[in-house]
Amino acid sequence: MSAARTLHLNTNITGTGRHPAGWRTLDNPKSIIDLGFFTTIAQIAERGKLDAVFLSDAVALRGHAHGPAQSLEPTVLLTALAGVTRHVGLIGTASTTFNDPFNLARRFASVDHLSAGRVAWNAVTTYDPEAAANFSIAESPDKQARYARAEEFVEVVLKLWDSWEDNALIADRASGRYADPARVHAIAHAGRHFQVRGPLNLPRSPQGRPVLVQAGGSEAGVALAARHADAVFTAQTTFEGAQDFYRDIKARAVAHGRHPDHLLVLPGLYPVIGGTLAEARRRKADMDALLDRGAELAKFAGALGIDAAALQLDAPLPYDLIDKGDRTDVSRGFIRSTVLLARGENLTVRDLLDRNPGAHRMIVGTPETIADDIERWFAGRAADGFNLNADVFPSGLADFVDHVVPLLQRKGIFRREYEGTTLRDHYGLARPSSRYADAATSAVADADALGAVS
Amino acid sequence: MSAARTLHLNTNITGTGRHPAGWRTLDNPKSIIDLGFFTTIAQIAERGKLDAVFLSDAVALRGHAHGPAQSLEPTVLLTALAGVTRHVGLIGTASTTFNDPFNLARRFASVDHLSAGRVAWNAVTTYDPEAAANFSIAESPDKQARYARAEEFVEVVLKLWDSWEDNALIADRASGRYADPARVHAIAHAGRHFQVRGPLNLPRSPQGRPVLVQAGGSEAGVALAARHADAVFTAQTTFEGAQDFYRDIKARAVAHGRHPDHLLVLPGLYPVIGGTLAEARRRKADMDALLDRGAELAKFAGALGIDAAALQLDAPLPYDLIDKGDRTDVSRGFIRSTVLLARGENLTVRDLLDRNPGAHRMIVGTPETIADDIERWFAGRAADGFNLNADVFPSGLADFVDHVVPLLQRKGIFRREYEGTTLRDHYGLARPSSRYADAATSAVADADALGAVS
């Protein structure tokens, strides 16, 4: 990274935006299966010089009676978006619980090739009995088992991405030598969850390795991020809480021998933008009026691990009932940040639902308010940047790009043009070399293993 | 299908073409990771009004010392090609041995959405200890186990593709109803290999179901094709053998209550084209001169299930040594068609290597010879069309499109323009309705199952 710190901005482009009733304001509310809709959004992100677009994911259907859910598979949709953009990064979520490391490593490396080095994998684990029921798994694994598998899964994927050295593909027409077997390495991974010989059946991708993002807020998730991730997505609702998280995870990365700048901390941010505060509030109120309140209350209660009947709109949260850590079907990061916010500002359930009955911090305001807030968090090392959640696409993102981004550029904290071509370039991350490139000691073992596959 | 039978033509676009030394004639021999290369090929196919482009696949690396192997993951590459073409179909191979039905069904349905209905899944099983070693499988399953899994895998995928009825996505802004849970069906599959509740987390795709292709030549493969496939890829080296196969598989389809026109029989064809026969022979000889003969002989012996030392260049095949069916690591279709060809024309090993040391019938000739041969096979019901294998891209395909296709059009057996928009349209296949659309009797069970996921 250069001496001057630079702000990083992604935008979540899942569904029709973060507001659950946002789709009811769209001309084409069936847009979640419409490539034109996502093309518009990705091109707006690129117009705003954003680092990346991001797709979250789920592998079980729910909530579809009231609004759009996840739908198109992320690596496929991101490949299509690579074709209609030139610079913006492409971050896709895929679960280590319901995938296989060889196929996943190959798929993300393929997108990295086809996008000329713009892809990232957001590695998540999944606790969801509904999802498990789609994958022939009778009982969803508990958190410890999920993260043990995730750690090993990530390790296998990183090894496979390294299995071809940069100069392994020769393609020398004169001699007829295509690849150099001495530079294509079996990974010979033999672990508890996976036994994978490798190598990957694909030459090394433009970024060396696709960028690795981690998004889990639990202790195990944070530990995984500190060890392996290039960026961490996190739910942070207070400035001080975010500073604590930032300090802690950077220190952990350093303890693993890493440079703290090589792990970007990117909290979620949910801006609702108006030319004046009144306009911003009206924008939100108009969308809120379209909400199914009962469905939202039930969703909120479920996320807190409690019964909807325990929530009273004009009372504080029932703190004593909220799950303290023995359940595995809730997000600890979400509960922690919600409780922190509610206690800190003495909020009622109605206030919380009003703010954003989801994980991410909402700011309803003018472009100036929002840009100032971003600058404060960035300068105060509460964040290296943000993962933006527009209320509804495309207008919520277009307003940010057209009115907030120019203010951030004027403050000198955000790029005016893309300076590189890959997502690693945008994030200020070095291109890693293959772990096998200098492995002189393992050369003989590799050559033996390769004998069988070449 | 309309009264007039129409020829169907796909082109295999895997690697750099069928000739193992073809890459040594290319300006950019590293083209297997170059989207521009595949874009050129797909656009040539579309200029020729071909039904589809086709990607074979493998999930273990081999042969990379001497030439290009499979590399970019098919669903990802086909999605990229969907963005640079408008009509041509997109057929991708994926193994039922090393995938999961939910993820695979979702991925192909996603490509079907993003390509506006142009995708097909070529379902294969994989016997390959090298591949198994990439998927934590100690021993590659035998043929019976592979096909038992494949049958159930295909069944689950077809059910998932049906799980949303066509009109399930309402997206009614006024009422706030997004999807109609009564038209989104749990599949509740509980089988020996898979337990999948469903529904898929994606609305029904443009083709209703992506086209299903089957490519295995064994008894189990043919049985699967007759029951489920819309098209079958097959290795046929003699006219009479192909007629026998055609009659047999159409009769099997009819025995399953299907219309024989709804299962297209598409043998492989490997044309080497020259303005004169001498030119065509020179084109082939020039490429043959670049071959690594030792590597080719070893590959051929391996495919026959015998030792390379047992092959003598100027002798017939050692028929008594060639595998008779007890091994599972060879393709029965390949062995059968090779033996048939060698016996029928009394060929030596050198002759066979010269023809094409792969599964598909080679014709070295002028556009007229090749067009006449295609017409004869089509009219004689030895084929409904062909899966073409160009010697090297892009020239081999461009020659076919520019010089053979016009002759086929003049004969009145091949389209001059695309008449529809989807691959089903090109293939003359009806769009299927969801099996759940009229399932009044199962409505209660479905509603119960859905209660848990909606």
Side-chain angles (χ1 to χ4, degrees), chain A residues 31-324:
Chain A
S31 52
I32 57 159
I33 48 173
D34 175 9
L35 180 56
F37 182 73
F38 290 104
T39 296
T40 299
I41 297 166
Q43 290 176 342
I44 292 170
E46 187 157 278
R47 189 174 87 216
K49 318 298 176 195
L50 266 52
D51 292 70
V53 298
F54 160 63
L55 284 168
S56 68
D57 198 35
V59 286
L61 184 67
R62 59 165 57 83
H64 55 295
H66 302 291
Q70 267 78 21
S71 57
L72 297 164
E73 193 278 329
T75 58
V76 165
L77 178 52
L78 292 177
T79 300
L81 295 180
V84 295
T85 54
R86 292 197 54 190
H87 294 279
V88 75
L90 308 158
I91 306 172
T93 300
S95 171
T96 58
T97 311
F98 301 119
N99 277 286
D100 168 275
F102 190 92
N103 284 339
L104 184 142
R106 184 182 181 209
R107 216 157 65 238
F108 277 89
S110 295
V111 186
D112 205 42
H113 277 293
L114 295 177
S115 66
R118 294 191 276 146
V119 86
W121 170 37
N122 176 36
V124 300
T125 76
T126 309
Y127 179 87
D128 182 352
E130 301 299 336
N134 288 333
F135 290 86
S136 309
I137 297 171
E139 201 154 335
S140 217
D142 68 17
K143 183 159 282 189
Q144 197 183 347
R146 288 196 328 268
Y147 271 95
R149 180 182 161 100
E151 280 279 349
E152 193 180 329
F153 193 117
V154 166
E155 192 188 329
V156 173
V157 168
L158 293 174
K159 286 177 179 174
L160 286 169
W161 284 342
D162 277 352
S163 62
W164 285 64
E165 295 183 36
D166 284 321
N167 49 5
L169 183 59
I170 310 165
D172 180 43
R173 297 184 300 180
S175 67
R177 290 175 72 215
Y178 192 72
D180 179 356
R183 298 186 191 278
V184 181
H185 301 268
I187 70 168
H189 178 90
R192 195 175 137 224
H193 299 83
F194 304 108
Q195 299 80 45
V196 181
R197 183 191 287 166
L200 201 61
N201 55 349
L202 181 62
R204 192 165 172 80
S205 81
Q207 294 187 101
R209 297 195 286 264
V211 170
L212 182 67
V213 175
Q214 196 279 339
S218 70
E219 169 56 30
V222 172
L224 192 154
R227 247 194 307 281
H228 297 298
D230 300 304
V232 60
F233 293 169
T234 174
Q236 300 294 337
T237 45
T238 71
F239 181 68
E240 294 74 19
Q243 284 182 315
D244 288 346
F245 179 84
Y246 188 100
R247 259 192 309 269
D248 174 60
I249 199 163
K250 297 268 180 173
R252 291 184 193 221
V254 169
H256 288 293
R258 305 180 59 195
H259 191 292
D261 290 350
H262 296 167
L263 173 58
L264 302 177
V265 178
L266 306 173
L269 183 65
Y270 179 171
V272 180
I273 308 168
T276 63
L277 180 58
E279 266 180 37
R281 284 184 175 152
R282 193 157 50 242
R283 178 178 171 97
K284 179 168 184 301
D286 287 349
M287 263 185 258
D288 285 352
L290 299 169
L291 278 174
D292 181 323
R293 288 286 180 177
E296 292 308 308
L297 196 71
K299 211 195 297 178
F300 187 49
L304 294 170
I306 60 176
D307 205 82
L311 292 179
Q312 294 186 299
L313 277 174
D314 293 307
L317 286 177
Y319 295 106
D320 52 323
L321 295 180
I322 291 173
D323 177 66
K324 295 299 186 297

Side-chain angles (χ1 to χ4, degrees), chain B residues 185-439:
Chain B
H185 301 268
I187 70 167
H189 177 90
R192 194 175 139 224
H193 300 82
F194 304 107
Q195 299 80 46
V196 182
R197 183 191 287 167
L200 201 61
N201 55 348
L202 181 62
R204 191 166 173 80
S205 81
Q207 294 188 101
R209 298 195 284 264
V211 170
L212 181 68
V213 176
Q214 195 279 337
S218 69
E219 168 57 31
V222 171
L224 192 155
R227 247 194 307 280
H228 296 297
D230 300 304
V232 60
F233 293 170
T234 173
Q236 299 295 336
T237 46
T238 70
F239 181 67
E240 293 75 19
Q243 285 182 314
D244 288 346
F245 178 84
Y246 188 100
R247 260 192 307 270
D248 174 59
I249 199 164
K250 295 269 181 173
R252 291 184 193 221
V254 170
H256 287 294
R258 304 180 60 194
H259 191 292
D261 290 351
H262 296 168
L263 173 58
L264 302 178
V265 178
L266 306 173
L269 183 65
Y270 179 171
V272 181
I273 307 168
T276 63
L277 179 58
E279 266 181 38
R281 285 184 175 150
R282 193 159 50 243
R283 178 178 172 98
K284 178 167 184 304
D286 287 349
M287 263 185 259
D288 284 352
L290 298 169
L291 278 173
D292 181 324
R293 288 288 180 175
E296 292 308 307
L297 196 70
K299 210 194 297 176
F300 187 47
L304 295 169
I306 60 177
D307 205 80
L311 293 178
Q312 295 185 298
L313 276 174
D314 293 307
L317 286 177
Y319 295 106
D320 52 323
L321 296 179
I322 291 172
D323 177 67
K324 297 298 187 297
D326 54 325
R327 292 181 58 165
T328 55
D329 58 340
V330 293
S331 158
R332 303 246 59 84
F334 170 73
I335 293 181
R336 196 164 47 237
S337 65
T338 303
V339 167
L340 206 61
L341 174 69
R343 281 197 199 274
E345 304 189 25
N346 198 23
L347 302 177
T348 64
V349 169
R350 189 188 302 276
D351 294 334
L352 287 165
L353 284 179
D354 232 42
R355 292 287 183 100
N356 170 26
H360 296 298
R361 185 168 65 105
M362 174 184 274
I363 315 179
V364 182
T366 62
E368 290 73 18
T369 322
I370 293 165
D372 289 350
D373 180 276
I374 287 175
E375 183 182 33
R376 174 169 170 251
W377 279 54
F378 177 66
R381 295 189 184 261
D384 292 317
F386 294 92
N387 201 31
L388 302 170
N389 294 267
D391 48 5
V392 66
F393 294 115
S395 66
L397 180 63
D399 287 349
F400 187 91
V401 158
D402 294 335
H403 302 297
V404 181
V405 164
L407 299 179
L408 297 171
Q409 289 168 332
R410 225 165 293 152
K411 289 172 187 290
I413 57 174
F414 193 61
R415 70 175 69 82
R416 288 174 185 275
E417 292 299 336
Y418 291 105
E419 285 165 21
T421 60
T422 69
L423 180 55
R424 285 189 180 276
D425 291 339
H426 307 338
Y427 276 171
L429 300 168
R431 185 177 185 282
S433 52
S434 164
R435 74 194 62 200
Y436 301 106
D438 301 305

Side-chain angles (χ1 to χ4, degrees), chain A residues 23-27 29-30 32-33 35 57-68 70-74 76-77 79-80 98-100 102-103 106-107 110-111 113-114 130 133-136 164 169-179 181 184 193-203 450 452-454, chain B residues 23-27 29-30 32-33 35 57-68 70-77 79-80 98-100 102-103 106-107 110-111 113-114 130 133-136 164 169-179 181 184 193-203 452-454:
Chain A
W23 67 272
R24 296 180 67 180
T25 69
L26 295 178
D27 290 337
K30 294 187 181 179
I32 57 159
I33 48 173
L35 180 56
D57 198 35
V59 286
L61 184 67
R62 59 165 57 83
H64 55 295
H66 302 291
Q70 267 78 21
S71 57
L72 297 164
E73 193 278 329
V76 165
L77 178 52
T79 300
F98 301 119
N99 277 286
D100 168 275
F102 190 92
N103 284 339
R106 184 182 181 209
R107 216 157 65 238
S110 295
V111 186
H113 277 293
L114 295 177
E130 301 299 336
N134 288 333
F135 290 86
S136 309
W164 285 64
L169 183 59
I170 310 165
D172 180 43
R173 297 184 300 180
S175 67
R177 290 175 72 215
Y178 192 72
V184 181
H193 299 83
F194 304 108
Q195 299 80 45
V196 181
R197 183 191 287 166
L200 201 61
N201 55 349
L202 181 62
L450 272 168
V453 297
S454 59
Chain B
W23 68 271
R24 297 179 67 181
T25 69
L26 294 178
D27 290 338
K30 294 188 183 179
I32 57 160
I33 47 173
L35 179 57
D57 199 35
V59 285
L61 184 68
R62 61 164 56 83
H64 56 294
H66 303 291
Q70 267 77 21
S71 57
L72 298 164
E73 194 277 329
T75 57
V76 166
L77 178 52
T79 300
F98 301 120
N99 277 286
D100 168 275
F102 190 92
N103 284 339
R106 184 183 182 208
R107 216 157 66 240
S110 295
V111 186
H113 277 291
L114 294 178
E130 301 300 334
N134 289 331
F135 290 86
S136 309
W164 284 64
L169 184 60
I170 310 165
D172 180 44
R173 298 185 300 180
S175 68
R177 291 176 71 215
Y178 191 71
V184 181
H193 300 82
F194 304 107
Q195 299 80 46
V196 182
R197 183 191 287 167
L200 201 61
N201 55 348
L202 181 62
V453 296
S454 60

